[in-house]
Amino acid sequence: MTTAEDDSIASFSSDLDSDTAVPAAKQPLPTFASTNSQSPPSTCWQHYDSNRARESRYTTSASEKPTTQTSVNVKIENNATLPNRTHLDENERQSPTTVTPSMSQLDDDDGGSNHDAGAAVAASTTVPIRIQQHNVTGASVHTPEYNPSGGGMKLNAKQAQAVQAIKDKKNVFLTGPAGTGKSVVLRKVLKYCSETYRPNQWVAVAPTGVTAIAIGGQTIHSFAGIGIPSEQEDFNKAWQGEKRQAWRELKIMVMEEISMIAGEFLDRLDSVVRQIRGVDAPFGGIQVLICGDFLQLPPIAESIENMAKMREFVNDPGTVHGNRGFAFQSYFWKEANLETIHLTEVFRQDNPQFVNVLSRIRRGLVGEPAKSFLAQCARPLTLPSKDIEPTRLYSKNVDVNRENMSELVRLDGDTHQFKAIDHVIAASFAKPGAEEKLWNSEFFRQTVAEDLLRLKVGAQVMLIKNDTLNRRTLVNGSRGVVVEFTNEQPEPPFNIPISIPKSNSDQARKEGIYPKVKFQNGETRILGMAEFTSRIVGVGQCIRIAVPLKLAWAITVHKSQGMTLDYVKIDLSGVFCKAQAYVALSRAKDEKCLELRNFSSRLVKADACALAFYDHPNIEINKWDHREKWTRAKVKVESVNNEPPSQEETKESKNQAWV
Ligand SMILES: Nc1ncnc2c1ncn2[C@@H]1O[C@H](COP(=O)(O)OP(=O)(O)OP(=O)(O)O)[C@@H](O)[C@H]1O
């Protein structure tokens, strides 16, 4: 084991400039006689409109619900049949995506007696499986909870301290560089929760589907019932029946990868949860374990340009959600009275030289020794066996897609193409030109659901939509392999029929043929189409109906956060955000099992605000600001600010986020 450079954690006080408007989250919250209220108070935060909320019980929001005044414009490609939206399963749009962690998934690494390998595999994106002749890429990869070697794992003193703090009912922030065992502690805590609380009293949440799978939990968006929020009203969806009840019953929430959860998101959610629970305390008194490293991937903030556009369409600009700031910049953070535990012992890598290189890169530093150390990885990887396929990491989706397509081409067999169906619904109150705006929306270019999906038997795939029904064991991020194409009928919720006529150019494409996928948890599913939507504040809704699969020989760095990879090929040429190079490199266990392409010192960047948070106790770092202005951090170190992301960065990040 090797100890990383010691980062002293900051405990700081942070107040707003006197001229900074106090966000509504800080305005006095309404008080409630009891927590049994069934709807948000009319005085609820930021112009809550109770009529709209009533409607949103049945639709994603009032603006989305087709009404007689709503114009629906449907563009049907290639004579595809458009499924009637009213026939879509209502549950699919509203019901919670609940991935109940099985006990075995939560089993820690100490050889717990009830380990159930099958169920554990269900939650992993990286566990090796062999399906007929098709090997799932990443066979060499393991996440710690599913370490095939099993065996005992003794927590070090700080890890044990974190578990104890949770047992002592404290709110805990568990941090430290990559590979220091934060997730291992998290799983110990989940095991404790499962033994101590009833199932509805605890939850594990993460910002992305892949991470959620790895901890056997669900995304924070799906648990909250708010989807990907674009305005305050979306957060108010947490009031909807089942969700409201879930929030009220909760006693402890475990949050993974906090670096990707924005301060603004936490504050908006916190405000609603306090009201739902009728307790004016952080998350209405729910105990929290927050895990993560702020020097890893940051939240995906809206660009200033997009924020400005969205604000044009709303009465109160403060209601537009920009996903700004790190979690430590939230009001919630300051009030939660978190006990910070900083892990420093790196377990993932054994070589102290590699640990030192990574430690510098985490802080945005490179230097000659690090450069020459990494230069030795710019050679083809030698693999111990033909069966082992290294995981390939790229920064951008475009590179991932190219790599996946070239793998697809190498497979024998017919290509089956699945064309998406797009349509738009303008909001009843939208200004003229709304439909055109919707058709030109970035959603249709950026959404992870491809316009034309090509598949073959043997293709490595990833599910890109949660299964909100059935056994709820498959989620956005579940990995599998296409085992055949069939005309058997798919099951809900992925059962929108594929009825696209044969194209001239593609001999393999037939009507009513569905891909059958064997997932890593052993489940086999026939997949029809599913609905992907994006609501544009004040304008309406963009909808794509597509087969919810994506090729997955290669994955993005964003998808890899939290993983431990035995054999990995990394191409850093497309790095577009801070910490991306660090996250990619720190996945590798050993430099001998890492092939590195296109490394350059200029790609290594750390966020100055996150560095300041760790390095300077007692500094003031401003909170996210709900006004147009992106406030500068009031720190005593030079050039520390929260730069808003560029449009390019937001676009790329969203590409990752929507996966
Ligand atoms: N106490 C321990 N003893 C032995 N190995 C450990 C211990 N804690 C963690 N590990 C191992 O270290 C590796 C990294 O652990 P883990 O994924 O929990 O780190 P992390 O801090 O969550 O990393 P990241 O920030 O990259 O998500 C895993 O292989 C895990 O099994």
Side-chain angles (χ1 to χ4, degrees), residues 16 20-30 43-48 232 236 264 267-272 274-275 280 316-320 324 331 335 623-627:
L16 287 169
T20 307
V22 178
K26 291 299 293 174
Q27 289 164 9
L29 292 160
T43 51
C44 182
W45 188 50
Q46 292 193 346
H47 306 279
Y48 181 80
Q232 178 55 35
N236 292 336
E264 180 177 358
D267 277 341
R268 289 186 188 273
L269 184 60
D270 173 44
S271 165
V272 174
R274 286 178 196 225
Q275 292 167 50
D280 193 5
D316 178 359
T319 60
V320 173
R324 289 158 292 173
Y331 293 88
E335 290 176 25
K623 306 287 180 274
W624 65 274
D625 182 353
H626 78 294
R627 299 176 310 168

Side-chain angles (χ1 to χ4, degrees), residues 127-145:
V127 170
I129 61 163
R130 188 171 287 279
I131 301 159
Q132 294 167 6
Q133 74 273 31
H134 314 299
N135 198 17
V136 171
T137 303
S140 58
V141 177
H142 65 84
T143 46
E145 68 272 44

Side-chain angles (χ1 to χ4, degrees), residues 1 109 142 144-145 147 153-156 159 176-185 187 256-257 293 296 343 347-348 561-564 586-587 589:
M1 307 313 165
D109 307 71
H142 65 84
E145 68 272 44
N147 189 336
M153 185 181 296
K154 198 169 174 323
L155 296 186
N156 68 17
Q159 288 176 316
T180 48
K182 300 181 290 296
S183 309
V184 165
V185 174
R187 280 187 297 278
E256 175 69 304
E257 305 294 5
D293 173 16
Q296 294 189 40
L343 306 178
F347 292 98
R348 185 173 288 137
Q561 178 150 299
M563 291 179 176
T564 298
S586 59
R587 298 310 98 201
K589 288 188 78 176

Side-chain angles (χ1 to χ4, degrees), residues 46 71 97 99 132 147 228 239 258 282 299 432 440 496 538 547 552 579 582 650:
Q46 292 193 346
S71 70
T97 305
V99 183
Q132 294 167 6
N147 189 336
I228 303 288
W239 276 95
I258 190 67
N440 292 331
I496 301 177
V547 174
Y582 172 63
T650 298

